[in-house]
Amino acid sequence: MLYLINRSVLLVSLAACTWLATKRGIKIFDSKNGSCTTLTIADGLSSDDVRSLAEDSDGQIWAGTSYGLNRIQYVPNEGRKHKTIVSAFDLSDGLNGMVFNPNAVYTDKTGKIYLGTN
């Protein structure tokens, strides 16, 4: 489920995590173990300015940023630590643009995700 709050994007994933896209990365709140994590450029994001979020049918999170697209795989653990695998995509991967428009995301009935760029 996707929410817009004061220009930030809030996504509640199938894994019962809450994802908050901000200009300073992504905050992940895991309700199962009470943990909170921040993903930034240091963790592999293309940019800390995250503008859109979407979840695919495999539970992977797609983040459109001001400098590319990221796919995030969240691997929860029973303890308080978890693992995130961040993949980055850019023009060489076939993107039409690098700057993603805020909240320009659509998932069709087949599960295909569309993200708008400049």
Side-chain angles (χ1 to χ4, degrees), residues 60-83:
Q60 299 177 106
I61 304 299
W62 293 83
T65 74
S66 62
Y67 198 70
L69 179 66
N70 296 109
R71 180 184 63 215
I72 305 161
Q73 295 170 282
Y74 178 79
V75 183
N77 285 333
E78 290 184 23
R80 294 190 54 87
K81 294 234 178 193
H82 62 270
K83 181 178 180 181

PDB file of all heavy atoms in Angstrom, residues 60-83:
ATOM      1  N   GLN A  60      10.283  -7.459  -3.918  1.00  0.00           N
ATOM      2  CA  GLN A  60      11.430  -6.560  -4.047  1.00  0.00           C
ATOM      3  C   GLN A  60      10.917  -5.128  -4.160  1.00  0.00           C
ATOM      4  O   GLN A  60       9.873  -4.878  -4.766  1.00  0.00           O
ATOM      5  CB  GLN A  60      12.258  -6.915  -5.277  1.00  0.00           C
ATOM      6  CG  GLN A  60      12.820  -8.321  -5.189  1.00  0.00           C
ATOM      7  CD  GLN A  60      13.581  -8.699  -6.433  1.00  0.00           C
ATOM      8  OE1 GLN A  60      14.797  -8.747  -6.398  1.00  0.00           O
ATOM      9  NE2 GLN A  60      12.885  -8.963  -7.514  1.00  0.00           N
ATOM     10  N   ILE A  61      11.658  -4.204  -3.586  1.00  0.00           N
ATOM     11  CA  ILE A  61      11.271  -2.799  -3.601  1.00  0.00           C
ATOM     12  C   ILE A  61      12.076  -2.090  -4.687  1.00  0.00           C
ATOM     13  O   ILE A  61      13.295  -2.256  -4.796  1.00  0.00           O
ATOM     14  CB  ILE A  61      11.539  -2.132  -2.232  1.00  0.00           C
ATOM     15  CG1 ILE A  61      10.824  -2.902  -1.107  1.00  0.00           C
ATOM     16  CG2 ILE A  61      11.137  -0.661  -2.252  1.00  0.00           C
ATOM     17  CD1 ILE A  61       9.317  -2.971  -1.220  1.00  0.00           C
ATOM     18  N   TRP A  62      11.388  -1.284  -5.487  1.00  0.00           N
ATOM     19  CA  TRP A  62      12.017  -0.481  -6.535  1.00  0.00           C
ATOM     20  C   TRP A  62      11.966   0.971  -6.100  1.00  0.00           C
ATOM     21  O   TRP A  62      10.908   1.468  -5.699  1.00  0.00           O
ATOM     22  CB  TRP A  62      11.292  -0.687  -7.858  1.00  0.00           C
ATOM     23  CG  TRP A  62      11.475  -2.076  -8.379  1.00  0.00           C
ATOM     24  CD1 TRP A  62      10.751  -3.184  -8.022  1.00  0.00           C
ATOM     25  CD2 TRP A  62      12.469  -2.514  -9.296  1.00  0.00           C
ATOM     26  NE1 TRP A  62      11.241  -4.289  -8.680  1.00  0.00           N
ATOM     27  CE2 TRP A  62      12.294  -3.906  -9.481  1.00  0.00           C
ATOM     28  CE3 TRP A  62      13.493  -1.877  -9.993  1.00  0.00           C
ATOM     29  CZ2 TRP A  62      13.098  -4.666 -10.324  1.00  0.00           C
ATOM     30  CZ3 TRP A  62      14.288  -2.630 -10.850  1.00  0.00           C
ATOM     31  CH2 TRP A  62      14.087  -4.000 -10.998  1.00  0.00           C
ATOM     32  N   ALA A  63      13.114   1.632  -6.143  1.00  0.00           N
ATOM     33  CA  ALA A  63      13.223   3.022  -5.701  1.00  0.00           C
ATOM     34  C   ALA A  63      13.736   3.888  -6.841  1.00  0.00           C
ATOM     35  O   ALA A  63      14.849   3.691  -7.330  1.00  0.00           O
ATOM     36  CB  ALA A  63      14.170   3.121  -4.504  1.00  0.00           C
ATOM     37  N   GLY A  64      12.915   4.843  -7.257  1.00  0.00           N
ATOM     38  CA  GLY A  64      13.339   5.837  -8.236  1.00  0.00           C
ATOM     39  C   GLY A  64      13.964   7.003  -7.494  1.00  0.00           C
ATOM     40  O   GLY A  64      13.382   7.527  -6.541  1.00  0.00           O
ATOM     41  N   THR A  65      15.159   7.396  -7.906  1.00  0.00           N
ATOM     42  CA  THR A  65      15.882   8.469  -7.226  1.00  0.00           C
ATOM     43  C   THR A  65      16.149   9.629  -8.184  1.00  0.00           C
ATOM     44  O   THR A  65      15.773   9.584  -9.343  1.00  0.00           O
ATOM     45  CB  THR A  65      17.229   7.967  -6.657  1.00  0.00           C
ATOM     46  OG1 THR A  65      18.160   7.791  -7.725  1.00  0.00           O
ATOM     47  CG2 THR A  65      17.067   6.666  -5.885  1.00  0.00           C
ATOM     48  N   SER A  66      16.848  10.620  -7.692  1.00  0.00           N
ATOM     49  CA  SER A  66      17.225  11.755  -8.544  1.00  0.00           C
ATOM     50  C   SER A  66      18.443  11.418  -9.404  1.00  0.00           C
ATOM     51  O   SER A  66      18.898  12.259 -10.177  1.00  0.00           O
ATOM     52  CB  SER A  66      17.515  12.991  -7.685  1.00  0.00           C
ATOM     53  OG  SER A  66      18.605  12.727  -6.820  1.00  0.00           O
ATOM     54  N   TYR A  67      18.936  10.173  -9.287  1.00  0.00           N
ATOM     55  CA  TYR A  67      20.082   9.784 -10.109  1.00  0.00           C
ATOM     56  C   TYR A  67      20.096   8.279 -10.387  1.00  0.00           C
ATOM     57  O   TYR A  67      21.088   7.605 -10.172  1.00  0.00           O
ATOM     58  CB  TYR A  67      21.397  10.214  -9.442  1.00  0.00           C
ATOM     59  CG  TYR A  67      22.557  10.228 -10.410  1.00  0.00           C
ATOM     60  CD1 TYR A  67      22.632  11.187 -11.414  1.00  0.00           C
ATOM     61  CD2 TYR A  67      23.548   9.271 -10.337  1.00  0.00           C
ATOM     62  CE1 TYR A  67      23.685  11.182 -12.316  1.00  0.00           C
ATOM     63  CE2 TYR A  67      24.606   9.264 -11.241  1.00  0.00           C
ATOM     64  CZ  TYR A  67      24.667  10.227 -12.222  1.00  0.00           C
ATOM     65  OH  TYR A  67      25.700  10.222 -13.120  1.00  0.00           O
ATOM     66  N   GLY A  68      18.944   7.743 -10.802  1.00  0.00           N
ATOM     67  CA  GLY A  68      18.895   6.342 -11.193  1.00  0.00           C
ATOM     68  C   GLY A  68      17.834   5.545 -10.461  1.00  0.00           C
ATOM     69  O   GLY A  68      17.064   6.070  -9.658  1.00  0.00           O
ATOM     70  N   LEU A  69      17.810   4.257 -10.759  1.00  0.00           N
ATOM     71  CA  LEU A  69      16.822   3.331 -10.229  1.00  0.00           C
ATOM     72  C   LEU A  69      17.516   2.261  -9.404  1.00  0.00           C
ATOM     73  O   LEU A  69      18.600   1.799  -9.766  1.00  0.00           O
ATOM     74  CB  LEU A  69      16.072   2.672 -11.401  1.00  0.00           C
ATOM     75  CG  LEU A  69      15.003   1.648 -11.077  1.00  0.00           C
ATOM     76  CD1 LEU A  69      13.825   2.304 -10.359  1.00  0.00           C
ATOM     77  CD2 LEU A  69      14.522   0.982 -12.365  1.00  0.00           C
ATOM     78  N   ASN A  70      16.889   1.866  -8.308  1.00  0.00           N
ATOM     79  CA  ASN A  70      17.441   0.814  -7.453  1.00  0.00           C
ATOM     80  C   ASN A  70      16.414  -0.279  -7.204  1.00  0.00           C
ATOM     81  O   ASN A  70      15.230   0.008  -7.054  1.00  0.00           O
ATOM     82  CB  ASN A  70      17.890   1.367  -6.106  1.00  0.00           C
ATOM     83  CG  ASN A  70      19.018   2.341  -6.241  1.00  0.00           C
ATOM     84  OD1 ASN A  70      18.824   3.526  -6.047  1.00  0.00           O
ATOM     85  ND2 ASN A  70      20.181   1.868  -6.591  1.00  0.00           N
ATOM     86  N   ARG A  71      16.899  -1.523  -7.158  1.00  0.00           N
ATOM     87  CA  ARG A  71      16.077  -2.661  -6.717  1.00  0.00           C
ATOM     88  C   ARG A  71      16.639  -3.099  -5.376  1.00  0.00           C
ATOM     89  O   ARG A  71      17.843  -3.306  -5.236  1.00  0.00           O
ATOM     90  CB  ARG A  71      16.148  -3.806  -7.719  1.00  0.00           C
ATOM     91  CG  ARG A  71      15.298  -5.008  -7.284  1.00  0.00           C
ATOM     92  CD  ARG A  71      15.439  -6.181  -8.209  1.00  0.00           C
ATOM     93  NE  ARG A  71      16.830  -6.634  -8.167  1.00  0.00           N
ATOM     94  CZ  ARG A  71      17.486  -7.129  -9.212  1.00  0.00           C
ATOM     95  NH1 ARG A  71      16.911  -7.219 -10.381  1.00  0.00           N
ATOM     96  NH2 ARG A  71      18.729  -7.531  -9.085  1.00  0.00           N
ATOM     97  N   ILE A  72      15.771  -3.235  -4.390  1.00  0.00           N
ATOM     98  CA  ILE A  72      16.211  -3.575  -3.036  1.00  0.00           C
ATOM     99  C   ILE A  72      15.555  -4.883  -2.616  1.00  0.00           C
ATOM    100  O   ILE A  72      14.332  -5.008  -2.620  1.00  0.00           O
ATOM    101  CB  ILE A  72      15.851  -2.456  -2.049  1.00  0.00           C
ATOM    102  CG1 ILE A  72      16.421  -1.122  -2.533  1.00  0.00           C
ATOM    103  CG2 ILE A  72      16.348  -2.797  -0.645  1.00  0.00           C
ATOM    104  CD1 ILE A  72      15.780   0.087  -1.927  1.00  0.00           C
ATOM    105  N   GLN A  73      16.388  -5.824  -2.261  1.00  0.00           N
ATOM    106  CA  GLN A  73      15.911  -7.090  -1.711  1.00  0.00           C
ATOM    107  C   GLN A  73      16.129  -7.022  -0.205  1.00  0.00           C
ATOM    108  O   GLN A  73      17.251  -6.813   0.252  1.00  0.00           O
ATOM    109  CB  GLN A  73      16.687  -8.254  -2.311  1.00  0.00           C
ATOM    110  CG  GLN A  73      16.460  -8.414  -3.801  1.00  0.00           C
ATOM    111  CD  GLN A  73      17.419  -9.407  -4.400  1.00  0.00           C
ATOM    112  OE1 GLN A  73      18.576  -9.077  -4.638  1.00  0.00           O
ATOM    113  NE2 GLN A  73      16.944 -10.609  -4.647  1.00  0.00           N
ATOM    114  N   TYR A  74      15.061  -7.196   0.534  1.00  0.00           N
ATOM    115  CA  TYR A  74      15.109  -7.142   1.988  1.00  0.00           C
ATOM    116  C   TYR A  74      15.040  -8.569   2.506  1.00  0.00           C
ATOM    117  O   TYR A  74      14.103  -9.304   2.209  1.00  0.00           O
ATOM    118  CB  TYR A  74      13.937  -6.312   2.519  1.00  0.00           C
ATOM    119  CG  TYR A  74      13.862  -6.221   4.015  1.00  0.00           C
ATOM    120  CD1 TYR A  74      14.684  -5.343   4.695  1.00  0.00           C
ATOM    121  CD2 TYR A  74      12.985  -7.004   4.745  1.00  0.00           C
ATOM    122  CE1 TYR A  74      14.617  -5.246   6.084  1.00  0.00           C
ATOM    123  CE2 TYR A  74      12.909  -6.917   6.120  1.00  0.00           C
ATOM    124  CZ  TYR A  74      13.732  -6.022   6.783  1.00  0.00           C
ATOM    125  OH  TYR A  74      13.676  -5.933   8.143  1.00  0.00           O
ATOM    126  N   VAL A  75      16.055  -8.961   3.267  1.00  0.00           N
ATOM    127  CA  VAL A  75      16.123 -10.313   3.810  1.00  0.00           C
ATOM    128  C   VAL A  75      16.064 -10.204   5.334  1.00  0.00           C
ATOM    129  O   VAL A  75      17.066  -9.896   5.977  1.00  0.00           O
ATOM    130  CB  VAL A  75      17.421 -11.033   3.362  1.00  0.00           C
ATOM    131  CG1 VAL A  75      17.435 -12.457   3.873  1.00  0.00           C
ATOM    132  CG2 VAL A  75      17.582 -10.976   1.853  1.00  0.00           C
ATOM    133  N   PRO A  76      14.876 -10.433   5.919  1.00  0.00           N
ATOM    134  CA  PRO A  76      14.768 -10.316   7.375  1.00  0.00           C
ATOM    135  C   PRO A  76      15.436 -11.491   8.087  1.00  0.00           C
ATOM    136  O   PRO A  76      15.513 -12.593   7.550  1.00  0.00           O
ATOM    137  CB  PRO A  76      13.264 -10.326   7.613  1.00  0.00           C
ATOM    138  CG  PRO A  76      12.687 -11.020   6.438  1.00  0.00           C
ATOM    139  CD  PRO A  76      13.620 -10.770   5.287  1.00  0.00           C
ATOM    140  N   ASN A  77      15.923 -11.230   9.265  1.00  0.00           N
ATOM    141  CA  ASN A  77      16.470 -12.263  10.143  1.00  0.00           C
ATOM    142  C   ASN A  77      15.634 -12.308  11.401  1.00  0.00           C
ATOM    143  O   ASN A  77      14.908 -11.359  11.703  1.00  0.00           O
ATOM    144  CB  ASN A  77      17.935 -11.952  10.511  1.00  0.00           C
ATOM    145  CG  ASN A  77      18.875 -12.234   9.368  1.00  0.00           C
ATOM    146  OD1 ASN A  77      18.611 -13.064   8.516  1.00  0.00           O
ATOM    147  ND2 ASN A  77      19.993 -11.538   9.348  1.00  0.00           N
ATOM    148  N   GLU A  78      15.768 -13.367  12.158  1.00  0.00           N
ATOM    149  CA  GLU A  78      15.013 -13.468  13.403  1.00  0.00           C
ATOM    150  C   GLU A  78      15.531 -12.489  14.448  1.00  0.00           C
ATOM    151  O   GLU A  78      14.785 -12.041  15.301  1.00  0.00           O
ATOM    152  CB  GLU A  78      15.064 -14.900  13.933  1.00  0.00           C
ATOM    153  CG  GLU A  78      14.258 -15.846  13.081  1.00  0.00           C
ATOM    154  CD  GLU A  78      14.215 -17.248  13.656  1.00  0.00           C
ATOM    155  OE1 GLU A  78      14.411 -17.401  14.878  1.00  0.00           O
ATOM    156  OE2 GLU A  78      13.978 -18.173  12.881  1.00  0.00           O
ATOM    157  N   GLY A  79      16.798 -12.157  14.378  1.00  0.00           N
ATOM    158  CA  GLY A  79      17.367 -11.177  15.300  1.00  0.00           C
ATOM    159  C   GLY A  79      17.027  -9.777  14.838  1.00  0.00           C
ATOM    160  O   GLY A  79      16.188  -9.564  13.982  1.00  0.00           O
ATOM    161  N   ARG A  80      17.697  -8.789  15.387  1.00  0.00           N
ATOM    162  CA  ARG A  80      17.406  -7.400  15.037  1.00  0.00           C
ATOM    163  C   ARG A  80      18.120  -6.956  13.773  1.00  0.00           C
ATOM    164  O   ARG A  80      17.779  -5.937  13.203  1.00  0.00           O
ATOM    165  CB  ARG A  80      17.751  -6.489  16.208  1.00  0.00           C
ATOM    166  CG  ARG A  80      16.831  -6.761  17.396  1.00  0.00           C
ATOM    167  CD  ARG A  80      16.935  -5.765  18.492  1.00  0.00           C
ATOM    168  NE  ARG A  80      16.754  -4.386  18.108  1.00  0.00           N
ATOM    169  CZ  ARG A  80      15.595  -3.752  18.022  1.00  0.00           C
ATOM    170  NH1 ARG A  80      14.477  -4.403  18.242  1.00  0.00           N
ATOM    171  NH2 ARG A  80      15.538  -2.475  17.737  1.00  0.00           N
ATOM    172  N   LYS A  81      19.112  -7.698  13.323  1.00  0.00           N
ATOM    173  CA  LYS A  81      19.834  -7.318  12.100  1.00  0.00           C
ATOM    174  C   LYS A  81      19.188  -8.003  10.908  1.00  0.00           C
ATOM    175  O   LYS A  81      18.712  -9.118  10.986  1.00  0.00           O
ATOM    176  CB  LYS A  81      21.295  -7.728  12.208  1.00  0.00           C
ATOM    177  CG  LYS A  81      22.040  -6.982  13.284  1.00  0.00           C
ATOM    178  CD  LYS A  81      23.244  -6.355  12.706  1.00  0.00           C
ATOM    179  CE  LYS A  81      23.942  -5.563  13.796  1.00  0.00           C
ATOM    180  NZ  LYS A  81      24.933  -4.709  13.284  1.00  0.00           N
ATOM    181  N   HIS A  82      19.195  -7.333   9.793  1.00  0.00           N
ATOM    182  CA  HIS A  82      18.701  -7.914   8.562  1.00  0.00           C
ATOM    183  C   HIS A  82      19.653  -7.556   7.434  1.00  0.00           C
ATOM    184  O   HIS A  82      20.590  -6.787   7.628  1.00  0.00           O
ATOM    185  CB  HIS A  82      17.284  -7.419   8.248  1.00  0.00           C
ATOM    186  CG  HIS A  82      17.232  -5.944   8.048  1.00  0.00           C
ATOM    187  ND1 HIS A  82      16.998  -5.077   9.091  1.00  0.00           N
ATOM    188  CD2 HIS A  82      17.409  -5.187   6.952  1.00  0.00           C
ATOM    189  CE1 HIS A  82      17.025  -3.844   8.623  1.00  0.00           C
ATOM    190  NE2 HIS A  82      17.276  -3.886   7.335  1.00  0.00           N
ATOM    191  N   LYS A  83      19.402  -8.091   6.280  1.00  0.00           N
ATOM    192  CA  LYS A  83      20.286  -7.870   5.141  1.00  0.00           C
ATOM    193  C   LYS A  83      19.496  -7.205   4.024  1.00  0.00           C
ATOM    194  O   LYS A  83      18.346  -7.564   3.766  1.00  0.00           O
ATOM    195  CB  LYS A  83      20.830  -9.219   4.667  1.00  0.00           C
ATOM    196  CG  LYS A  83      21.771  -9.150   3.518  1.00  0.00           C
ATOM    197  CD  LYS A  83      22.266 -10.558   3.177  1.00  0.00           C
ATOM    198  CE  LYS A  83      23.222 -10.532   2.016  1.00  0.00           C
ATOM    199  NZ  LYS A  83      23.680 -11.877   1.662  1.00  0.00           N
TER     200      LYS A  83
END
